[in-house]
mmCIF file of all heavy atoms in Angstrom:
data_model
loop_
_atom_site.group_PDB
_atom_site.id
_atom_site.type_symbol
_atom_site.label_atom_id
_atom_site.label_comp_id
_atom_site.label_asym_id
_atom_site.label_seq_id
_atom_site.Cartn_x
_atom_site.Cartn_y
_atom_site.Cartn_z
ATOM 1 N N ASP H 468 -14.243 -15.190 -11.194
ATOM 2 C CA ASP H 468 -13.175 -15.512 -12.126
ATOM 3 C C ASP H 468 -13.749 -15.559 -13.537
ATOM 4 O O ASP H 468 -14.898 -15.956 -13.737
ATOM 5 C CB ASP H 468 -12.555 -16.860 -11.759
ATOM 6 C CG ASP H 468 -11.308 -17.127 -12.551
ATOM 7 O OD1 ASP H 468 -10.239 -16.690 -12.109
ATOM 8 O OD2 ASP H 468 -11.406 -17.745 -13.632
ATOM 9 N N ARG H 469 -12.943 -15.186 -14.505
ATOM 10 C CA ARG H 469 -13.449 -15.141 -15.875
ATOM 11 C C ARG H 469 -13.726 -16.547 -16.422
ATOM 12 O O ARG H 469 -14.586 -16.724 -17.274
ATOM 13 C CB ARG H 469 -12.436 -14.415 -16.767
ATOM 14 C CG ARG H 469 -13.034 -13.771 -17.989
ATOM 15 C CD ARG H 469 -12.010 -12.957 -18.719
ATOM 16 N NE ARG H 469 -11.799 -11.637 -18.147
ATOM 17 C CZ ARG H 469 -12.595 -10.587 -18.345
ATOM 18 N NH1 ARG H 469 -13.666 -10.703 -19.111
ATOM 19 N NH2 ARG H 469 -12.343 -9.434 -17.784
ATOM 20 N N ASN H 470 -12.991 -17.541 -15.927
ATOM 21 C CA ASN H 470 -13.125 -18.877 -16.475
ATOM 22 C C ASN H 470 -13.629 -19.923 -15.484
ATOM 23 O O ASN H 470 -14.266 -20.888 -15.874
ATOM 24 C CB ASN H 470 -11.764 -19.350 -17.016
ATOM 25 C CG ASN H 470 -11.310 -18.482 -18.155
ATOM 26 O OD1 ASN H 470 -12.039 -18.307 -19.136
ATOM 27 N ND2 ASN H 470 -10.139 -17.892 -18.033
ATOM 28 N N ASN H 471 -13.319 -19.715 -14.230
ATOM 29 C CA ASN H 471 -13.626 -20.746 -13.243
ATOM 30 C C ASN H 471 -14.818 -20.317 -12.383
ATOM 31 O O ASN H 471 -14.728 -19.351 -11.623
ATOM 32 C CB ASN H 471 -12.384 -20.966 -12.366
ATOM 33 C CG ASN H 471 -12.523 -22.181 -11.481
ATOM 34 O OD1 ASN H 471 -13.647 -22.673 -11.262
ATOM 35 N ND2 ASN H 471 -11.411 -22.676 -10.982
ATOM 36 N N LYS H 472 -15.918 -21.078 -12.515
ATOM 37 C CA LYS H 472 -17.132 -20.672 -11.793
ATOM 38 C C LYS H 472 -17.025 -20.885 -10.282
ATOM 39 O O LYS H 472 -17.813 -20.323 -9.518
ATOM 40 C CB LYS H 472 -18.352 -21.415 -12.342
ATOM 41 C CG LYS H 472 -18.331 -22.906 -12.093
ATOM 42 C CD LYS H 472 -19.558 -23.553 -12.653
ATOM 43 C CE LYS H 472 -19.428 -25.056 -12.449
ATOM 44 N NZ LYS H 472 -20.330 -25.811 -13.276
ATOM 45 N N ASP H 473 -16.049 -21.675 -9.873
ATOM 46 C CA ASP H 473 -15.926 -21.960 -8.435
ATOM 47 C C ASP H 473 -15.101 -20.902 -7.704
ATOM 48 O O ASP H 473 -14.956 -20.956 -6.488
ATOM 49 C CB ASP H 473 -15.277 -23.338 -8.227
ATOM 50 C CG ASP H 473 -16.170 -24.426 -8.802
ATOM 51 O OD1 ASP H 473 -17.407 -24.269 -8.701
ATOM 52 O OD2 ASP H 473 -15.639 -25.394 -9.381
ATOM 53 N N VAL H 474 -14.510 -19.981 -8.474
ATOM 54 C CA VAL H 474 -13.674 -18.957 -7.827
ATOM 55 C C VAL H 474 -14.440 -17.640 -7.790
ATOM 56 O O VAL H 474 -14.835 -17.118 -8.824
ATOM 57 C CB VAL H 474 -12.339 -18.768 -8.591
ATOM 58 C CG1 VAL H 474 -11.511 -17.652 -7.958
ATOM 59 C CG2 VAL H 474 -11.550 -20.057 -8.608
ATOM 60 N N ALA H 475 -14.672 -17.153 -6.584
ATOM 61 C CA ALA H 475 -15.344 -15.855 -6.427
ATOM 62 C C ALA H 475 -14.853 -15.215 -5.141
ATOM 63 O O ALA H 475 -14.548 -15.905 -4.162
ATOM 64 C CB ALA H 475 -16.852 -16.037 -6.367
ATOM 65 N N ILE H 476 -14.702 -13.903 -5.170
ATOM 66 C CA ILE H 476 -14.304 -13.192 -3.944
ATOM 67 C C ILE H 476 -15.522 -12.424 -3.451
ATOM 68 O O ILE H 476 -16.019 -11.523 -4.119
ATOM 69 C CB ILE H 476 -13.112 -12.251 -4.202
ATOM 70 C CG1 ILE H 476 -11.912 -13.053 -4.698
ATOM 71 C CG2 ILE H 476 -12.748 -11.490 -2.925
ATOM 72 C CD1 ILE H 476 -10.725 -12.217 -5.125
ATOM 73 N N LYS H 477 -16.008 -12.868 -2.291
ATOM 74 C CA LYS H 477 -17.234 -12.282 -1.738
ATOM 75 C C LYS H 477 -16.911 -11.483 -0.479
ATOM 76 O O LYS H 477 -15.866 -11.698 0.135
ATOM 77 C CB LYS H 477 -18.210 -13.406 -1.375
ATOM 78 C CG LYS H 477 -18.727 -14.139 -2.588
ATOM 79 C CD LYS H 477 -19.610 -15.276 -2.168
ATOM 80 C CE LYS H 477 -20.107 -16.014 -3.408
ATOM 81 N NZ LYS H 477 -20.833 -17.219 -3.078
ATOM 82 N N PRO H 478 -17.808 -10.605 -0.066
ATOM 83 C CA PRO H 478 -17.564 -9.872 1.183
ATOM 84 C C PRO H 478 -17.527 -10.817 2.385
ATOM 85 O O PRO H 478 -18.254 -11.818 2.406
ATOM 86 C CB PRO H 478 -18.758 -8.928 1.303
ATOM 87 C CG PRO H 478 -19.397 -8.907 -0.028
ATOM 88 C CD PRO H 478 -19.082 -10.203 -0.690
ATOM 89 N N THR H 479 -16.671 -10.486 3.339
ATOM 90 C CA THR H 479 -16.653 -11.222 4.597
ATOM 91 C C THR H 479 -17.563 -10.478 5.563
ATOM 92 O O THR H 479 -17.316 -9.294 5.837
ATOM 93 C CB THR H 479 -15.222 -11.253 5.173
ATOM 94 O OG1 THR H 479 -14.380 -11.766 4.156
ATOM 95 C CG2 THR H 479 -15.117 -12.102 6.420
ATOM 96 N N TYR H 480 -18.591 -11.143 6.031
ATOM 97 C CA TYR H 480 -19.536 -10.478 6.944
ATOM 98 C C TYR H 480 -19.128 -10.747 8.386
ATOM 99 O O TYR H 480 -19.074 -11.883 8.824
ATOM 100 C CB TYR H 480 -20.965 -10.980 6.695
ATOM 101 C CG TYR H 480 -21.585 -10.302 5.497
ATOM 102 C CD1 TYR H 480 -21.306 -10.732 4.213
ATOM 103 C CD2 TYR H 480 -22.418 -9.202 5.654
ATOM 104 C CE1 TYR H 480 -21.836 -10.093 3.113
ATOM 105 C CE2 TYR H 480 -22.957 -8.555 4.557
ATOM 106 C CZ TYR H 480 -22.666 -9.005 3.289
ATOM 107 O OH TYR H 480 -23.195 -8.363 2.211
ATOM 108 N N TYR H 481 -18.818 -9.663 9.116
ATOM 109 C CA TYR H 481 -18.504 -9.803 10.537
ATOM 110 C C TYR H 481 -19.782 -9.699 11.354
ATOM 111 O O TYR H 481 -19.853 -10.157 12.470
ATOM 112 C CB TYR H 481 -17.526 -8.713 10.976
ATOM 113 C CG TYR H 481 -16.199 -8.810 10.270
ATOM 114 C CD1 TYR H 481 -15.774 -7.799 9.417
ATOM 115 C CD2 TYR H 481 -15.371 -9.914 10.444
ATOM 116 C CE1 TYR H 481 -14.553 -7.884 8.770
ATOM 117 C CE2 TYR H 481 -14.153 -10.014 9.794
ATOM 118 C CZ TYR H 481 -13.752 -8.993 8.962
ATOM 119 O OH TYR H 481 -12.557 -9.089 8.313
ATOM 120 N N HIS H 482 -20.751 -9.030 10.760
ATOM 121 C CA HIS H 482 -22.016 -8.825 11.449
ATOM 122 C C HIS H 482 -23.076 -8.703 10.374
ATOM 123 O O HIS H 482 -23.044 -7.759 9.585
ATOM 124 C CB HIS H 482 -21.954 -7.549 12.299
ATOM 125 C CG HIS H 482 -23.011 -7.481 13.343
ATOM 126 N ND1 HIS H 482 -24.344 -7.371 13.033
ATOM 127 C CD2 HIS H 482 -22.927 -7.507 14.697
ATOM 128 C CE1 HIS H 482 -25.032 -7.318 14.159
ATOM 129 N NE2 HIS H 482 -24.191 -7.416 15.184
ATOM 130 N N GLU H 483 -23.996 -9.698 10.304
ATOM 131 C CA GLU H 483 -24.981 -9.675 9.226
ATOM 132 C C GLU H 483 -26.278 -9.041 9.681
ATOM 133 O O GLU H 483 -26.724 -9.253 10.800
ATOM 134 C CB GLU H 483 -25.236 -11.091 8.738
ATOM 135 C CG GLU H 483 -24.119 -11.582 7.843
ATOM 136 C CD GLU H 483 -24.404 -12.944 7.287
ATOM 137 O OE1 GLU H 483 -25.437 -13.093 6.612
ATOM 138 O OE2 GLU H 483 -23.611 -13.851 7.533
ATOM 139 N N SER H 484 -26.858 -8.292 8.784
ATOM 140 C CA SER H 484 -28.125 -7.651 9.090
ATOM 141 C C SER H 484 -29.227 -8.701 9.103
ATOM 142 O O SER H 484 -29.279 -9.553 8.223
ATOM 143 C CB SER H 484 -28.416 -6.595 8.032
ATOM 144 O OG SER H 484 -29.742 -6.211 8.119
ATOM 145 N N PRO H 485 -30.106 -8.665 10.114
ATOM 146 C CA PRO H 485 -31.205 -9.648 10.149
ATOM 147 C C PRO H 485 -32.179 -9.449 8.988
ATOM 148 O O PRO H 485 -32.880 -10.370 8.599
ATOM 149 C CB PRO H 485 -31.884 -9.382 11.484
ATOM 150 C CG PRO H 485 -31.429 -8.024 11.911
ATOM 151 C CD PRO H 485 -30.139 -7.756 11.258
ATOM 152 N N ASN H 486 -32.173 -8.235 8.410
ATOM 153 C CA ASN H 486 -33.102 -7.959 7.308
ATOM 154 C C ASN H 486 -32.613 -8.516 5.972
ATOM 155 O O ASN H 486 -33.367 -8.672 5.031
ATOM 156 C CB ASN H 486 -33.298 -6.444 7.152
ATOM 157 C CG ASN H 486 -33.775 -5.828 8.454
ATOM 158 O OD1 ASN H 486 -34.510 -6.470 9.190
ATOM 159 N ND2 ASN H 486 -33.342 -4.620 8.725
ATOM 160 N N VAL H 487 -31.319 -8.782 5.891
ATOM 161 C CA VAL H 487 -30.778 -9.251 4.614
ATOM 162 C C VAL H 487 -30.869 -10.772 4.564
ATOM 163 O O VAL H 487 -30.291 -11.469 5.386
ATOM 164 C CB VAL H 487 -29.308 -8.798 4.461
ATOM 165 C CG1 VAL H 487 -28.734 -9.303 3.157
ATOM 166 C CG2 VAL H 487 -29.241 -7.287 4.521
ATOM 167 N N VAL H 488 -31.626 -11.263 3.604
ATOM 168 C CA VAL H 488 -31.836 -12.705 3.509
ATOM 169 C C VAL H 488 -30.564 -13.378 3.003
ATOM 170 O O VAL H 488 -30.034 -14.295 3.607
ATOM 171 C CB VAL H 488 -33.030 -13.006 2.575
ATOM 172 C CG1 VAL H 488 -33.277 -14.502 2.492
ATOM 173 C CG2 VAL H 488 -34.270 -12.280 3.058
#
Side-chain angles (χ1 to χ4, degrees):
Chain H
D468 189 87
R469 206 174 279 280
N470 297 305
N471 190 342
K472 66 180 176 197
D473 297 324
V474 177
I476 300 174
K477 293 177 181 173
T479 306
Y480 280 81
Y481 297 116
H482 198 294
E483 283 184 58
S484 166
N486 304 326
V487 179
V488 181

